[in-house]
Amino acid sequence: MAGQTALLVVALVFGVIAAGLGAAYLQARQAVTDQSTAQVLAVAQSVTAEPEVVDAVRDGDPDGVLQPLAEGVRRSTGTDFVVVMSPSGIRYSHPNPDQVGKQFVGHIAAARAGGEVVEDYTGTLGPSRRAVVPVRDGARVVGLVAVGIGKQAADERLARELPPLLVAGVVAGLLAAVGTTLITRRVRHQTRGLRAAELQAMHDHHDAVLHSVTEGLVLVDPGGRVRLANDEARRLLGLREDPTGRDVGELGLAPPLVAAMADPDVREDDLHVTGGRVLVLNKARARRDGEDLGAVVTVRDRTDLEELTGELGAARGLAEALRSQAHESGNRLHTMVSLIELGHPDRAVEFATDELERAQRLTDVVVTGVEDPTLSALLLGKAAEAHERGVELVVDPGLRWPADVAPARDVVTVVGNLVDNAIDAVTGVEGVRRVTLGAHDLGDGVELVVADTGPGIPSALRERVLERGFSTKSVDGPAGSRGIGLALVADTVQRLGGTLRIDEPPGATVTVRLPVRAGVDG
C-alpha cells in the first residue's frame, strides 16, 4: 500500500511539475515576444520622431545621412536591423549596404496608410519580429522606418530564461521525492507494514467478529468519545443512532453508567440497572507501546438472570418458610403431647386452638384479599420467615390485590424485595420489630405500602438507595450481593408504568403504585 501510494504521489507530483514547467515556458516565450515587440516599436517610433530623419526622408536622402544614423541606432539599441525607406519601400539604410536602394521585404501597406505594422516575417536577414512605423511631415507620410529583432536573438533571450525554470523544476522534484519517501515511511508505520489486501482482509474479519459477538462492545477514547460500538452494545444501551464520535455523556444513559464508561478506573463485573435491563459492565484500559488509547467496555445482559435469581430467592424463601413451619409445628406437637401426658388435656386443646386461630387469621386475610395465588404463597412464606427471625409481620386486614396487576414474576420482584428489605431493616434493632404490609385496590391500579420500625432511610440517601450497588447495610456476603433489591424494584415499577415513594424516618415507608393491566400473562 505504501509503494502504491508512493508511485501515485510521484506520478502526480511530476505531472504537476511538468505541467508547471510547460506553462512557465509558454509564459516566458510570450514574455520574450512581448518584450521584443515593445522594443522594436519604441525604437521605430523614436527614429521617426527625429527631425533629421524627417528632413532626409522628405528630400530622398540626397546626402546619404540615413545609413550611418540608422546603423548607430541599431548598435546602440541592440536590434538586428533599422531600415529607413520611402513610402514605396525603397530602402535608404540597411545593415547590409548592398541592400540599400532595393525594395523592402515585408508588409508595409498599413504603415503607408498611416498605421503601424507588427509581425513575424522572414526577410533578407532571416526570421524576425519587426515593427513598421510611418514617418510624418505634418499629416503626410513621407517615409517608413522598420526595426526588427531576429528570431535567433529572441530564442537566445528565451534560453537565458530557461535555466531558472529548470532549476525550480529540479528542486520541486527533489522535494517531492523527499516528501514521498517520508509519506511512504509514515504509511508503512501506520499500517504496520501490511499490504492493501491484508488490510482489507483484516477489516472484513474485524467487522464480522465485531457484529457477531453476543456481548456489547464499546471503545471509548481518552477524551470520553465513543470510537466504536457494535450492534449488541447499541441494543443493550438503547442507542437508536450510531454513537460513533459522540461524547458518552450525550448518549442519554444513566449517570452511573456514564461515569463507569468515562472514568479512568478499571471495572470488573460492575452491575447497572438501566432502561429496563440489568447490565454487567467490564472495562479495561487499552494501551499500545505505552500510549493510552482509551478503554474497552464490554456489556452483558443479566436481566433474565436477575429475575430468575429473584424467583429462585422467592422459592427458597417459601422452602425456608415451610421448613420453619414444619419446625414450629413439631415444637407445638411435642408441647401438646407433653401437656396431655402430664394430665392437662384442656391446656393442650387451648394451646392448639390459639396457634391455629393465629395462623388461620393470617391465611384468611391473605387468601381473601389477594387474588394472585403466587403472591398469597409469597406472603405466607414471608410471614413464617419473619416469625422465625423474631419479626412481627402485620398484614392489613383490608388487604386487596387484584389478579391483573402485573406478571407474577414482577409481583414477586416488587413485593418480595420490599418485604425482605423491611425485615432486614428491623432485624437486630432494639424495641419493636414490626413490618406492616398493606395493599389497596384503587380501581385503575393498586397501592402497596410496606412500612417497618427500623432506623429508616435519610432524605439525603433516598435517591441513592435506588442505585445499583448502593446499600445502607453492611456487606457480609459476596461482592455485589447487596444494593440490588431496591434498584430492581425501582426499575420494575418504572417499566410497569408505576411510581415509587420513600417516606422519611422514623422507620421507612415505601409506597408503590402500579396500574392494573387487564389480561396480564403471569
Side-chain angles (χ1 to χ4, degrees):
M1 184 175 179
Q4 294 177 2
T5 302
L7 289 177
L8 289 175
V9 171
V10 168
L12 177 62
V13 169
F14 278 94
V16 171
I17 292 175
L21 288 176
Y25 172 78
L26 294 177
Q27 185 177 6
R29 183 175 180 180
Q30 183 63 41
V32 169
T33 300
D34 293 342
Q35 184 179 1
S36 299
T37 300
Q39 183 179 0
V40 295
L41 273 175
V43 173
Q45 289 169 354
S46 65
V47 172
T48 60
E50 290 290 335
E52 186 178 1
V53 173
V54 175
D55 293 340
V57 171
R58 184 183 58 221
D59 297 336
D61 191 23
D63 298 327
V65 299
L66 293 178
Q67 173 69 5
L69 187 148
E71 285 300 294
V73 173
R74 179 181 67 82
R75 287 189 292 267
S76 64
T77 58
T79 55
D80 288 325
F81 64 84
V82 177
V83 177
V84 183
M85 69 192 84
S86 67
S88 61
I90 301 301
R91 300 187 187 99
Y92 296 131
S93 67
H94 194 276
N96 184 0
D98 294 338
Q99 297 294 327
V100 175
K102 295 181 179 181
Q103 183 68 36
F104 178 77
V105 179
H107 300 97
I108 60 173
R112 188 166 49 213
E116 294 179 345
V117 176
V118 178
E119 63 178 351
D120 291 327
Y121 198 84
T122 303
T124 58
L125 298 177
S128 64
R129 183 70 172 174
R130 59 178 61 183
V132 182
V133 178
V135 179
R136 299 176 184 275
D137 183 14
R140 186 167 61 93
V141 175
V142 295
L144 303 173
V145 175
V147 179
I149 296 178
K151 283 294 185 180
Q152 183 178 358
D155 291 342
E156 291 175 355
R157 186 179 299 176
L158 178 60
R160 291 193 295 270
E161 300 288 339
L162 289 180
L165 296 178
L166 294 176
V167 170
V170 171
V171 171
L174 292 176
L175 292 177
V178 173
T180 301
T181 302
L182 295 177
I183 292 174
T184 301
R185 291 181 179 178
R186 179 64 176 173
V187 171
R188 285 177 178 169
H189 175 72
Q190 290 182 331
T191 59
R192 310 298 178 187
L194 298 176
R195 294 177 303 206
E198 294 172 334
L199 286 175
Q200 182 178 2
M202 180 181 294
H203 174 271
D204 293 341
H205 295 159
H206 166 271
D207 191 66
V209 171
L210 179 67
H211 294 287
S212 62
V213 294
T214 57
E215 288 189 359
L217 179 64
V218 182
L219 302 183
V220 183
D221 66 15
R225 291 189 175 276
V226 177
R227 291 305 176 192
L228 184 147
N230 67 352
D231 298 338
E232 183 66 7
R234 293 174 60 180
R235 183 184 72 84
L236 294 178
L237 298 177
L239 305 177
R240 297 183 179 179
E241 299 179 355
D242 187 2
T244 303
R246 299 174 60 187
D247 191 272
V248 174
E250 300 174 355
L251 302 181
L253 303 176
L257 190 58
V258 172
M261 295 178 67
D263 65 26
D265 297 335
V266 174
R267 306 275 181 153
E268 293 184 2
D269 295 334
D270 198 5
L271 294 182
H272 292 269
V273 180
T274 178
R277 299 181 184 276
V278 179
L279 304 179
V280 181
L281 182 144
N282 286 273
K283 186 175 72 171
R285 305 304 301 180
R287 299 182 183 276
R288 184 180 180 89
D289 298 332
E291 180 184 0
D292 185 11
L293 302 179
V296 179
V297 180
T298 58
V299 183
R300 300 194 310 272
D301 191 355
R302 193 175 165 179
T303 306
D304 294 337
L305 179 60
E306 287 296 334
E307 291 178 348
L308 291 175
T309 301
E311 293 181 5
L312 178 60
R316 287 178 175 175
L318 291 177
E320 184 67 19
L322 292 175
R323 185 195 66 78
S324 301
Q325 288 180 343
H327 181 72
E328 290 294 320
S329 297
N331 290 335
R332 289 195 296 270
L333 181 60
H334 285 300
T335 301
M336 288 184 293
V337 170
S338 298
L339 287 173
I340 293 173
E341 290 178 348
L342 293 174
H344 302 288
D346 295 337
R347 294 287 301 275
V349 171
E350 181 181 355
F351 176 78
T353 303
D354 289 341
E355 291 296 324
L356 288 175
E357 286 181 355
R358 185 184 65 81
Q360 189 61 43
R361 281 196 301 271
L362 177 61
T363 302
D364 290 342
V365 170
V366 172
V367 173
T368 301
V370 178
E371 300 179 10
D372 187 341
T374 303
L375 180 57
S376 298
L378 177 66
L379 292 179
L380 292 175
K382 292 299 179 184
E385 179 183 352
H387 179 70
E388 185 178 12
R389 295 176 60 179
V391 177
E392 180 185 6
L393 177 61
V394 179
V395 178
D396 184 1
L399 180 73
R400 293 293 181 270
W401 188 280
D404 52 1
V405 175
R409 65 180 184 181
D410 290 335
V411 172
V412 169
T413 297
V414 174
V415 179
N417 279 291
L418 290 180
V419 173
D420 284 342
N421 281 348
I423 293 175
D424 289 342
V426 299
T427 299
V429 301
E430 297 182 359
V432 179
R433 302 176 183 176
R434 181 184 299 120
V435 174
T436 304
L437 183 144
H440 309 285
D441 188 355
L442 305 178
D444 59 348
V446 65
E447 182 182 71
L448 171 69
V449 180
V450 179
D452 62 67
T453 58
I457 301 174
S459 58
L461 301 178
R462 202 175 307 159
E463 295 295 332
R464 294 202 62 192
V465 295
L466 301 180
E467 298 176 3
R468 172 63 182 91
F470 179 83
S471 176
T472 58
K473 308 168 189 175
S474 61
V475 179
D476 53 3
S481 63
R482 293 289 189 182
I484 194 172
L486 282 178
L488 282 174
V489 171
D491 185 69
T492 303
V493 170
Q494 181 181 10
R495 177 161 47 84
L496 296 176
T499 61
L500 183 148
R501 187 182 76 249
I502 301 176
D503 291 335
E504 296 182 359
T509 302
V510 181
T511 303
V512 172
R513 289 194 177 191
L514 298 175
V516 172
R517 299 187 180 185
V520 171
D521 183 10

